[in-house]
Amino acid sequence: MVGLGVDVYDMPAYTSANVQGTAVLLAEMARAGVTKLVLASSMVIYGEGSYTCVRHGSVRPGPRAKDALDAGVFEPPCPHCAQPLMPGTVDESVPADPRNVYADTKLAQEHLAASWARMTGGSVTALRYHNVYGPRMPRDTPYAGVAALFRSALLRGEAPKVFEDGQQRRDFVHVRDVARANVLALEQKAPFAAYNIASGRPRTIADLAKALSAACDGPPPVVTGDYRLGDVRHIVASPARAAADLGFTAEIAFEDGMAEFAAVNA
């Protein structure tokens, strides 16, 4: 089960598929003598990304308040002085801070996989995917990623609806780059290692919507000011460890990938 989910009633489905399903898989791997796992993890385990306050240095803001979001205040404040923050990048050493049920289940998968590795002597490489897009993404489902939701709207002749003010920063990485990262991860032998799989070139959600609208020759995006509780404002990560240890660097440019993704039959 992927995506933020629709409402609290999705909790049993997410935990059943992602947590219990992973536990069943790991147990059967042990029975079959499988010793290597490449885990499809996610950047959502970090929660909000890295921020700097001019007074307090590096900080991790708490979940954004509903009353602030209702008022159109989308940037998280410093948890100490409530002043504006400067967003930065996170690396794999940053403590996990999941902010929604999907993120909770992805972190649980990492913990279960690490326990499996300790008990069996196996090896786990957890790839923390950022916003993956590309051919064969699902269409017309509320559980899809934002790129798929925007494309589905454009294929219906509708404008993409951009939540908040569109300035949320994300890292969009093409699925073929992600597939290559998975192959490289098969060579890792560490009991447990985690890597950010990202392009290292952040874009805003508005950038994404504009690129897809242009590629589809569709209507321009509409910024709605709506929001989803559990969404984070900015999450951008450093891909340096994956480059150093796996030899992975994303190759497909944002503009080229979006032009391909916009194709109707992609």
Side-chain angles (χ1 to χ4, degrees):
M1 295 286 292
V2 301
L4 182 58
V6 175
D7 53 40
V8 68
Y9 303 111
D10 282 330
M11 293 180 76
Y14 272 76
T15 55
S16 176
N18 296 353
V19 181
Q20 177 68 9
T22 297
V24 170
L25 173 65
L26 292 169
E28 293 306 315
M29 286 169 58
R31 289 190 180 94
V34 176
T35 60
K36 175 65 183 177
L37 172 66
V38 177
L39 176 66
S41 189
S42 174
M43 54 85 178
V44 297
I45 70 165
Y46 296 123
E48 281 288 349
S50 174
Y51 292 84
T52 301
C53 173
V54 294
R55 291 179 57 189
H56 297 97
S58 178
V59 297
R60 296 294 299 278
R64 294 181 295 171
K66 185 178 184 300
D67 57 351
L69 295 170
D70 287 338
V73 179
F74 302 119
E75 295 288 345
C78 175
H80 306 294
C81 65
Q83 293 301 303
L85 298 172
M86 178 68 68
T89 59
V90 294
D91 63 26
E92 292 85 352
S93 67
V94 170
D97 187 17
R99 299 290 173 89
N100 56 61
V101 174
Y102 173 60
D104 293 333
T105 67
K106 297 306 289 184
L107 182 58
Q109 287 180 329
E110 288 199 11
H111 289 323
L112 288 168
S115 293
W116 167 86
R118 287 191 296 270
M119 290 187 287
T120 65
S123 175
V124 177
T125 305
L127 301 184
R128 293 171 180 170
Y129 303 155
H130 282 248
N131 288 67
V132 183
Y133 73 95
R136 302 183 183 178
M137 283 191 81
R139 290 168 52 180
D140 300 312
T141 166
Y143 298 95
V146 65
L149 294 174
F150 286 171
R151 190 183 70 162
S152 293
L154 287 161
L155 292 178
R156 296 192 301 267
E158 301 171 4
K161 293 181 179 179
V162 178
F163 279 16
E164 302 186 19
D165 58 1
Q167 298 308 301
Q168 311 94 302
R169 296 169 74 239
R170 298 290 189 272
D171 190 314
F172 297 96
V173 59
H174 195 278
V175 67
R176 284 197 296 275
D177 281 327
V178 171
R180 187 163 48 82
N182 277 263
V183 174
L184 292 169
L186 289 170
E187 301 302 319
Q188 286 295 102
K189 304 299 183 183
F192 183 91
Y195 298 96
N196 292 322
I197 301 302
S199 74
R201 297 179 290 274
R203 304 277 181 160
T204 67
I205 297 296
D207 290 337
L208 168 68
K210 290 173 184 176
L212 284 175
S213 290
C216 291
D217 195 23
V222 174
V223 177
T224 67
D226 294 337
Y227 65 86
R228 299 189 304 176
L229 281 175
D231 261 345
V232 298
R233 179 61 174 175
H234 305 294
I235 176 64
V236 176
S238 168
R241 182 185 289 183
D245 291 3
L246 303 180
F248 170 78
T249 302
E251 297 176 349
I252 298 174
F254 177 81
E255 294 79 8
D256 296 336
M258 287 298 162
E260 176 196 17
F261 180 59
V264 174
N265 295 320

